[in-house]
Amino acid sequence: MEYKAVLPIFGFDGCKRVSLEQIDDIFFRMENLDNRSLPSFTLVLPTALREDYNFEIPDHVVQKLEIENPEDVKV
């Protein structure tokens, strides 16, 4: 699935488009679509490592990303 970055991605400041491919129930692959010569990364769902994982999204980020429900967010 392709995503447009509306806020800078930490460590990928120049990246505006990424693809996120689900490998299995725990792992995902993220690739920079603007510069495919950069490495891709394997991501892991933090709740697979720690059930009590929790975080807060600042209000300005919620507004910028147009988040309406917590279920709309995947970390």
Side-chain angles (χ1 to χ4, degrees):
M1 185 168 262
E2 185 175 321
Y3 294 92
K4 177 184 172 190
V6 296
L7 295 168
I9 300 172
F10 184 68
F12 292 86
D13 295 338
C15 180
K16 301 296 181 199
R17 297 178 313 124
V18 297
S19 70
L20 193 59
E21 175 187 336
Q22 188 165 356
I23 298 170
D24 59 23
D25 291 340
I26 299 173
F27 295 100
F28 292 79
R29 179 174 178 238
M30 185 182 85
E31 184 175 5
N32 181 345
L33 295 177
D34 294 322
N35 186 349
R36 292 187 183 257
S37 66
L38 294 175
S40 64
F41 291 91
T42 301
L43 309 174
V44 62
L45 290 176
T47 53
L49 304 174
R50 189 172 172 169
E51 287 182 24
D52 62 343
Y53 181 79
N54 198 357
F55 64 98
E56 291 186 27
I57 301 174
D59 289 338
H60 74 280
V61 174
V62 170
Q63 291 173 355
K64 184 75 173 176
L65 296 178
E66 300 176 358
I67 298 170
E68 295 181 12
N69 300 303
E71 295 81 25
D72 296 338
V73 178
K74 186 174 278 194
V75 178

